[in-house]
Amino acid sequence: MSEELTLALDFSGETLTFGFVSASGATSGVARLDLADFLAGAEPPMDKLSALLAAKVRAAPGAVDLLALSMGCDISADRKTVLDYPEAIWLNGNNVVDALAGALGKRVAMERRAAAFLSFDQAFLGLPRDGVLVGCYVDSVYDNAIWHGGGILRGRSGAAGNIGHLPVHGREDNCHCGKVGCCELYGSGRRLRHMHSLIFSDVPFEELFVHHGEHPLLRDFLRMMAYPIAVEANILDPDFIVLGGLVPRMRDFPRAEMEEAIRDQCHYPSPAREFALVFSSIGDDDRIVATARHLRGQPG
Ligand SMILES: [Zn+2]
């Protein structure tokens, strides 16, 4: 008898990563697509997504019992509707869960990416279930979540801990969320991409910290990346801060300086000295594993 599979999808920045995850966590058929590709041609992008996934399910090496989606953006409190995805605005306002469930005849579940990742990291890294954990996953955007009381703290609307749109006093740049000066504009991967294309294009993007890590602009970037984490640490006094995403995994990312920048912006002596900073276990292909396991209710 073939194994039951989850078709897991991770929407991060400009990229959709999707593939099958077995109950034991083995992956197969993993593929990546640029989300901009869904805009080509006359067919509505949501119809293209449904057709792509239907074809994937038909070609599955086993029975697919769940479609699990993790979204690197705000989603509705019932975790069905995408609210604000800047790299794929065609998703905004769509009840993706019901649309895909109707089109494919499968069970579909969706989660904020940071919540799925922190849940996976808690189990995989052996962090205490009864602890207070802050998870910060920094790709093109800033994704945060909080673990408290044995699970993800959701808050009233499900957005608890998502602190990337905290405005920075005195900064006036427009953010896609409608406000100005959000810290995500200055401490996320999108900022790094802009700096790379405007100032540091002499080196490959992935080697930005290798060649220019000491540049004042990159030192300022680190401090801005640390700022919302320090705000959360000051409020929550956590046991652990988990730092993940593409930016901390770049070559020669200055982990020690990052930790110093967080502690330096925390109240002294507590929580500045008391939390432990750990780095996420989640690499590129683990994203869909973390998504599948979280939405199946499995520990990491
Ligand atoms: Zn914003």
Side-chain angles (χ1 to χ4, degrees):
M1 196 175 85
S2 63
E3 195 174 15
E4 286 202 329
L5 299 170
T6 297
L7 176 53
L9 292 80
D10 172 60
F11 292 80
S12 290
E14 298 85 7
T15 307
L16 165 63
T17 303
F18 61 112
F20 300 110
V21 182
S22 72
S24 62
T27 59
S28 59
V30 179
R32 286 187 180 78
L33 288 175
D34 191 327
L35 284 168
D37 292 348
F38 287 90
L39 293 172
E43 196 181 355
M46 270 303 295
D47 291 353
K48 281 188 192 168
L49 180 63
S50 293
L52 171 78
L53 297 178
K56 190 80 173 171
V57 167
R58 281 195 299 274
V64 175
D65 67 337
L66 174 68
L67 263 70
L69 285 67
S70 67
M71 305 299 306
C73 70
D74 291 337
I75 61 176
S76 59
D78 64 2
R79 286 181 273 170
K80 288 187 170 187
T81 301
V82 175
L83 297 183
D84 182 17
Y85 198 111
E87 287 87 1
I89 56 175
W90 50 271
L91 286 167
N92 293 348
N94 269 311
N95 182 330
V96 179
V97 168
D98 286 351
L100 292 179
L104 277 72
K106 298 287 181 186
R107 193 160 60 91
V108 181
M110 184 162 76
E111 179 61 283
R112 270 181 57 216
R113 196 184 62 140
F117 288 6
L118 181 57
S119 193
F120 183 85
D121 273 329
Q122 181 276 324
F124 192 85
L125 297 173
L127 305 179
R129 282 191 64 81
D130 59 352
V132 176
L133 315 176
V134 171
C136 307
Y137 299 91
V138 185
D139 292 348
S140 62
V141 296
Y142 216 107
D143 253 351
N144 295 44
I146 297 164
W147 175 284
H148 178 248
I152 295 296
L153 176 69
R154 300 202 169 278
R156 183 188 54 79
S157 68
N162 199 4
I163 203 167
H165 295 278
L166 178 74
V168 179
H169 182 67
R171 303 238 184 169
E172 301 287 340
D173 301 279
N174 292 314
C175 181
H176 65 84
C177 76
K179 299 203 305 275
V180 296
C182 294
C183 54
E184 177 178 293
L185 296 172
Y186 312 107
S188 73
R190 193 181 295 138
R191 178 70 161 189
L192 274 187
R193 290 271 179 200
H194 285 159
M195 288 163 65
H196 175 253
S197 63
L198 291 174
I199 304 164
F200 302 121
S201 57
D202 58 316
V203 300
F205 176 73
E206 293 71 23
E207 296 181 11
L208 200 48
F209 289 104
V210 178
H211 300 283
H212 297 295
E214 299 301 321
H215 194 284
L217 286 173
L218 286 176
R219 311 308 284 186
D220 184 58
F221 170 84
L222 277 189
R223 196 162 177 86
M224 288 306 301
M225 184 175 159
Y227 170 61
I229 305 173
V231 170
E232 285 192 318
N234 277 318
I235 295 168
L236 296 168
D237 193 9
D239 298 285
F240 287 88
I241 292 172
V242 183
L243 186 59
L246 296 175
V247 172
R249 296 208 325 274
M250 288 172 70
R251 260 187 80 191
D252 285 3
F253 178 82
R255 292 183 168 199
E257 286 83 349
M258 184 67 197
E259 181 167 357
E260 188 183 323
I262 297 170
R263 292 191 192 278
D264 187 52
Q265 296 179 86
C266 284
H267 179 60
Y268 182 86
S270 180
R273 281 195 163 170
E274 317 240 333
F275 68 79
L277 179 70
V278 294
F279 285 84
S280 171
S281 62
I282 300 171
D284 279 352
D285 285 351
D286 305 321
R287 290 162 174 253
I288 58 170
V289 179
T291 300
R293 293 183 81 89
H294 176 69
L295 286 169
R296 284 195 305 235
Q298 284 180 307

